[in-house]
Short mmCIF file of all heavy atoms in Angstrom, two decimals:
data_model
loop_
_atom_site.label_atom_id
_atom_site.label_comp_id
_atom_site.label_asym_id
_atom_site.label_seq_id
_atom_site.Cartn_x
_atom_site.Cartn_y
_atom_site.Cartn_z
N ALA F 116 19.45 46.21 -35.90
CA ALA F 116 19.09 44.80 -36.12
C ALA F 116 18.55 44.16 -34.84
O ALA F 116 17.83 43.16 -34.89
CB ALA F 116 20.29 44.01 -36.62
N ASP F 117 18.87 44.74 -33.69
CA ASP F 117 18.34 44.21 -32.43
C ASP F 117 17.03 44.92 -32.04
O ASP F 117 16.53 44.74 -30.93
CB ASP F 117 19.37 44.37 -31.31
CG ASP F 117 20.62 43.52 -31.57
OD1 ASP F 117 20.51 42.50 -32.27
OD2 ASP F 117 21.71 43.89 -31.07
N GLY F 118 16.52 45.76 -32.94
CA GLY F 118 15.22 46.38 -32.70
C GLY F 118 15.24 47.85 -32.37
O GLY F 118 14.19 48.43 -32.08
N ALA F 119 16.41 48.49 -32.41
CA ALA F 119 16.46 49.92 -32.09
C ALA F 119 15.76 50.75 -33.18
O ALA F 119 15.65 50.33 -34.32
CB ALA F 119 17.90 50.38 -31.92
N HIS F 120 15.31 51.93 -32.80
CA HIS F 120 14.65 52.85 -33.72
C HIS F 120 15.70 53.59 -34.55
O HIS F 120 16.85 53.72 -34.13
CB HIS F 120 13.84 53.86 -32.89
CG HIS F 120 13.03 54.80 -33.72
ND1 HIS F 120 13.34 56.15 -33.84
CD2 HIS F 120 11.93 54.60 -34.48
CE1 HIS F 120 12.43 56.73 -34.62
NE2 HIS F 120 11.57 55.82 -35.03
N ILE F 121 15.29 54.10 -35.70
CA ILE F 121 16.22 54.85 -36.56
C ILE F 121 16.78 56.10 -35.86
O ILE F 121 17.79 56.62 -36.30
CB ILE F 121 15.56 55.28 -37.89
CG1 ILE F 121 14.15 55.81 -37.67
CG2 ILE F 121 15.54 54.13 -38.89
CD1 ILE F 121 13.54 56.43 -38.90
N SER F 122 16.15 56.53 -34.77
CA SER F 122 16.74 57.64 -33.99
C SER F 122 18.19 57.34 -33.62
O SER F 122 19.01 58.25 -33.51
CB SER F 122 15.97 57.85 -32.68
OG SER F 122 14.70 58.37 -32.91
N SER F 123 18.49 56.05 -33.38
CA SER F 123 19.84 55.67 -32.93
C SER F 123 20.83 55.54 -34.08
O SER F 123 21.98 55.22 -33.85
CB SER F 123 19.78 54.32 -32.20
OG SER F 123 19.02 54.43 -31.03
N ALA F 124 20.37 55.77 -35.30
CA ALA F 124 21.25 55.54 -36.45
C ALA F 124 22.00 56.80 -36.85
O ALA F 124 21.62 57.92 -36.51
CB ALA F 124 20.41 55.05 -37.64
N SER F 125 23.08 56.58 -37.61
CA SER F 125 23.86 57.72 -38.08
C SER F 125 23.04 58.57 -39.05
O SER F 125 23.25 59.76 -39.17
CB SER F 125 25.13 57.24 -38.76
OG SER F 125 24.77 56.38 -39.83
N PHE F 126 22.06 57.92 -39.73
CA PHE F 126 21.19 58.68 -40.64
C PHE F 126 19.93 59.17 -39.93
O PHE F 126 19.00 59.65 -40.57
CB PHE F 126 20.82 57.84 -41.88
CG PHE F 126 20.34 56.45 -41.55
CD1 PHE F 126 19.01 56.23 -41.21
CD2 PHE F 126 21.21 55.37 -41.55
CE1 PHE F 126 18.57 54.97 -40.91
CE2 PHE F 126 20.78 54.09 -41.24
CZ PHE F 126 19.45 53.89 -40.91
N GLY F 127 19.88 59.05 -38.61
CA GLY F 127 18.74 59.54 -37.81
C GLY F 127 19.20 60.57 -36.79
O GLY F 127 20.18 61.29 -37.01
N ALA F 128 18.49 60.62 -35.67
CA ALA F 128 18.75 61.67 -34.67
C ALA F 128 20.18 61.64 -34.13
O ALA F 128 20.80 62.69 -33.93
CB ALA F 128 17.75 61.54 -33.51
#
Side-chain angles (χ1 to χ4, degrees):
D117 295 334
H120 185 250
I121 43 172
S122 290
S123 296
S125 58
F126 49 84

